Amino acid sequence: MGKAIKNLLVATGVTAAVGTAYLTVRQLVSRTLVREALDRDEPKIMVKMKDKISAGKVDEELLEKSAVWRDNMEKRPHEVVNMESFDGTRLVGHWFHTPNAKRVLIAMHGWRSGWSRDFCGINDFWLNNECSVLYPEQRGQGDSDGEYMGFGLIERYDCLEWIKWLNQHKPSDLPVYLVGISMGATTVLMTAGFPELPENVHGVIADCGFTSPHAIWKHVAEKNLKIPFERNKKLIDRLCQSRIEMDADSYSTVEAMKNATVPIFFIHGLDDHFVPPWMTKQNFEVCASPKKLLTVPGADHGLSYLVDQKAYEKMTLEFFAENDG
């Protein structure tokens, strides 16, 4: 029995012998993993194991700087908006209008994160380079409604609804770009696979997205938590189905990329311990639309912009210049 499983058992009070409680152990572990992945309310034991889930090192200095950036971003004048998504779920967004903007971004944050947390470092760059930005709060997180997250499976439909909302409430002839980080990157990449994608969407920028919910769950369970995944897959799929009415492998970013028609800019830090860089490389390789790739040595999960700001900004501005028209 792996150390991570033992920790889960001790924390949840399961002390029966493994030989007589093996099924109970598997069910407990599977339920805990699914609750951690999808439920708004995070299991307490997984909060204690956050460092194992991400497998990254905590940079205390960066955390302090980020707290200041987040506070400044949230206090910056902007409009808080509401939207009812395809299934009636109320979602909240934050609209930053830039006078004389040349483009509009819809920026989707990641898993168990938030709009200001994930984009506080890059917000000024976008606003200072003629972008108006809409920051949705993903379902099951922050001030948006919903009891569950969907790892892009549900959020892709929300993203499509946000594009429609933007076109109805902030109409313009400006190009729209979908931007995302981590689960947000997977969200916008999956959205790019819709055949009914509105014509004013000119491109996608995806930073450290994964190939599918199934693939990232398997990676984190086996590589970071040292917990067997495949033997528990059927139970995990049933639990996932009961929450979001989809299996973890019912759709993938890879599948979406095979049907993509808009240009896509892929980004990934080569020292990412949470979402492995090979996932972005696989998404890039199968992408059927015009594409470009930036990999950043030394960057852990979601930190590519902070590690190599110069290259990130240069390639982003080039991407806009190539696709604005």
Side-chain angles (χ1 to χ4, degrees), residues 9 24 37 52 57 67 70 103 133 159 187 205 207 237 298 323:
L9 296 181
T24 301
K52 289 183 171 58
K57 296 181 179 179
R70 289 174 64 183
R103 64 196 68 86
V133 188
C159 188
T187 297
I205 300 176
D207 188 336
D237 279 344
N323 299 294

Side-chain angles (χ1 to χ4, degrees), residues 170-186:
K170 308 291 181 181
S172 72
D173 57 357
L174 298 179
V176 173
Y177 292 88
L178 309 180
V179 183
I181 190 166
S182 192
M183 190 188 82
T186 295

Side-chain angles (χ1 to χ4, degrees), residues 253-264:
T253 313
V254 171
E255 185 177 346
M257 291 301 88
K258 292 178 180 178
N259 297 310
T261 58
V262 296
I264 298 179

Side-chain angles (χ1 to χ4, degrees), residues 100-111:
N100 303 313
K102 290 185 176 180
R103 64 196 68 86
V104 178
L105 313 183
I106 300 177
M108 309 296 285
H109 69 78
W111 174 74

Side-chain angles (χ1 to χ4, degrees), residues 23-205:
L23 182 58
T24 301
V25 170
R26 287 181 55 186
Q27 291 176 338
L28 171 66
V29 171
S30 298
R31 289 182 184 281
T32 302
L33 290 176
V34 172
R35 286 176 58 205
E36 170 66 9
L38 302 180
D39 290 15
R40 175 188 284 271
D41 296 325
E42 186 174 21
K44 292 182 180 179
I45 176 57
M46 300 309 290
V47 175
K48 300 176 182 178
M49 298 176 67
K50 261 294 193 284
D51 58 332
K52 289 183 171 58
I53 294 173
S54 65
K57 296 181 179 179
V58 177
D59 187 329
E60 296 296 341
E61 183 179 353
L62 178 59
L63 286 178
E64 292 179 6
K65 289 181 179 179
S66 295
V68 175
W69 297 340
R70 289 174 64 183
D71 186 59
N72 290 338
M73 181 178 178
E74 291 170 2
K75 289 180 178 178
R76 191 163 183 163
H78 68 278
E79 179 185 358
V80 178
V81 301
N82 290 269
M83 185 266 288
E84 186 174 293
S85 195
F86 68 98
D87 60 353
T89 301
R90 183 192 65 89
L91 302 178
V92 175
H94 301 262
W95 170 250
F96 286 73
H97 173 69
T98 297
N100 303 313
K102 290 185 176 180
R103 64 196 68 86
V104 178
L105 313 183
I106 300 177
M108 309 296 285
H109 69 78
W111 174 74
R112 294 203 180 280
S113 191
W115 65 282
S116 59
R117 176 180 177 179
D118 281 354
F119 298 112
C120 61
I122 200 171
N123 180 59
D124 285 349
F125 165 70
W126 286 338
L127 298 182
N128 292 335
N129 283 275
E130 302 168 304
C131 302
S132 287
V133 188
L134 173 65
Y135 294 103
E137 297 194 43
Q138 299 253 45
R139 67 170 54 221
Q141 303 188 63
D143 290 330
S144 286
D145 289 346
E147 293 304 312
Y148 305 112
M149 297 166 278
F151 269 66
L153 296 174
I154 306 176
E155 289 85 353
R156 57 185 162 138
Y157 296 101
D158 294 336
C159 188
L160 189 62
E161 291 299 320
W162 276 117
I163 301 170
K164 296 176 182 177
W165 180 92
L166 187 70
N167 289 339
Q168 292 172 1
H169 293 84
K170 308 291 181 181
S172 72
D173 57 357
L174 298 179
V176 173
Y177 292 88
L178 309 180
V179 183
I181 190 166
S182 192
M183 190 188 82
T186 295
T187 297
V188 296
L189 290 172
M190 286 186 175
T191 305
F194 281 119
E196 66 269 29
L197 195 66
E199 292 184 0
N200 62 331
V201 176
H202 283 216
V204 171
I205 300 176

Side-chain angles (χ1 to χ4, degrees), residues 225-240:
L225 294 173
K226 310 301 180 184
I227 295 174
F229 182 83
E230 288 299 333
R231 71 180 64 173
N232 300 321
K233 183 180 181 303
K234 289 185 178 180
L235 177 56
I236 288 172
D237 279 344
R238 287 202 299 271
L239 293 169
C240 183

